[in-house]
Amino acid sequence: MAATTSGTRLEDRWRDILSVHARTVCEIDRALHPYGLGASDFEVLDILSILATEAPEGLGEGGARCRVHSLVGRVHLSQSALSRLIARLEKDGLVERSMCAEDRRGVRVALTHRGRELHTEVLPLQRAALARVLGDDESGEGHSPLGTGR
């Protein structure tokens, strides 16, 4: 009986995680839709922005360039879905792609000036969406979206 109860608790926790994820992605999508972005688009821009701030000076217009392959695990998309997303962001002028100098099969991607500006504009909207769904942990007043308490 204990194994069934334990298994049920695990299933419930798993479903809670999925539910929170779905609610969070939907909230971010709603907040960013007027800007032509979705949650996955934002994640790519956000990761590239973080990499650009960590990069040494003098990298030029594109700033830090990240191998597309290294983004796959960070944005939780398949390689092909990420490639399509990056192609769309490039078409919209938000990122630029280039061949990897070390490995001609590799592709690097970086934010454009327009991409950095849009990221800066929508960052507060994405963070507000996270706070609405997940609670504002910075204030100490947040709630646990999984019902596990604090």
Side-chain angles (χ1 to χ4, degrees), residues 17 19-21 23-25 27-28 126-137 141-146 150:
I17 290 168
S19 176
V20 169
H21 178 266
R23 286 194 318 268
T24 305
V25 169
E27 187 69 23
I28 293 169
Q126 188 264 2
R127 295 304 195 256
L130 289 178
R132 281 191 301 278
V133 177
L134 303 176
D136 183 3
D137 288 341
E141 303 284 323
H143 65 283
S144 175
L146 298 179
R150 294 200 65 91

Side-chain angles (χ1 to χ4, degrees), residues 52-72:
T53 60
E54 295 172 351
E57 295 290 324
L59 288 176
E61 161 76 29
R65 295 183 180 279
C66 178
R67 284 187 68 135
V68 171
H69 183 74
S70 67
L71 289 173
V72 171

Side-chain angles (χ1 to χ4, degrees), residues 5-17 146:
T5 303
S6 176
T8 302
R9 281 196 306 260
L10 280 174
E11 291 170 5
D12 289 345
R13 286 176 47 206
W14 172 244
R15 288 187 179 98
D16 286 346
I17 290 168
L146 298 179

Side-chain angles (χ1 to χ4, degrees), residues 18-112:
L18 292 175
S19 176
V20 169
H21 178 266
R23 286 194 318 268
T24 305
V25 169
C26 286
E27 187 69 23
I28 293 169
D29 283 344
R30 273 193 294 277
L32 302 183
H33 180 74
Y35 298 86
L37 297 174
S40 294
D41 304 321
F42 178 84
E43 283 303 310
V44 170
L45 297 180
D46 200 41
I47 290 167
L48 293 174
S49 176
I50 291 166
L51 291 172
T53 60
E54 295 172 351
E57 295 290 324
L59 288 176
E61 161 76 29
R65 295 183 180 279
C66 178
R67 284 187 68 135
V68 171
H69 183 74
S70 67
L71 289 173
V72 171
R74 295 180 77 175
V75 294
H76 308 290
L77 295 173
S78 68
Q79 178 79 40
S80 62
L82 179 60
S83 293
R84 288 190 304 273
L85 187 148
I86 288 172
R88 188 170 31 81
L89 293 175
E90 184 179 40
K91 181 180 169 219
D92 293 343
L94 303 176
V95 301
E96 59 186 9
R97 287 188 283 187
S98 62
M99 297 302 295
C100 180
E102 307 86 50
D103 177 1
R104 301 297 287 169
R105 298 170 297 167
V107 176
R108 293 192 178 275
V109 64
L111 285 176
T112 62

